[in-house]
Amino acid sequence: FHYDDEIIAAFHPELIDTSVEEQLYENFEIERLRTAIAKLQPKQKERLIKFFFYGMSSRKIAEEEGVAYSAVDKSIAYAIKNLKKFLK
C-alpha cells in the first residue's frame, strides 16, 4: 500500500503533524475566501458554490435554473475574476 499525504490529510487530519502557525495561516486563508465569496453577487455566489463545492456541471446548474449553460459559465468566470480582485 502507498499512502499519499494529501489523501491522509483529507480523511485523517489528526495524523498530519502541522504547526500551530500553519493551522492559523490555513484558518486565516479560509476566512479570507469566505469573506470574498460573501461579497459576490447572489447568483454568482450560488453558481460558484454549486460548481466548486458540490461538483455540479454548468450544464446541470443551467438545467436547474432554466437558463443557457453559457450564462452559467460566464457567471462562474466573473465570480472567479471578482474573487481574485477581492483577494488581492
Side-chain angles (χ1 to χ4, degrees), residues 6-56:
E6 290 179 16
I7 293 172
I8 291 173
F11 294 103
H12 298 286
E14 71 279 4
L15 298 177
I16 302 300
D17 183 27
T18 56
S19 71
V20 173
E21 292 85 8
E22 288 172 333
Q23 290 175 355
L24 287 172
Y25 180 75
E26 285 179 23
N27 291 343
F28 174 74
E29 288 300 309
I30 290 168
E31 190 56 38
R32 280 186 67 220
L33 182 58
R34 284 184 180 152
T35 301
I37 290 172
K39 292 178 182 179
L40 294 172
Q41 294 178 5
K43 191 57 74 175
Q44 287 180 353
K45 177 180 168 181
E46 179 183 333
R47 290 172 176 169
L48 182 88
I49 289 171
K50 286 180 179 180
F51 186 78
F52 283 106
F53 296 102
Y54 294 115
M56 293 176 67

Side-chain angles (χ1 to χ4, degrees), residues 10 23 28 48 57 68-70 76 78-79 83-84:
Q23 290 175 355
F28 174 74
L48 182 88
S57 68
Y69 78 91
S70 60
I76 292 169
Y78 283 124
L83 282 178
K84 287 179 181 179

Side-chain angles (χ1 to χ4, degrees), residues 50-85:
K50 286 180 179 180
F51 186 78
F52 283 106
F53 296 102
Y54 294 115
M56 293 176 67
S57 68
S58 57
R59 288 188 188 268
K60 180 67 178 168
I61 297 168
E63 184 181 299
E64 269 190 3
E65 296 180 6
V67 299
Y69 78 91
S70 60
V72 174
D73 283 341
K74 287 179 185 176
S75 180
I76 292 169
Y78 283 124
I80 292 168
K81 182 179 178 180
N82 285 330
L83 282 178
K84 287 179 181 179
K85 181 174 64 175

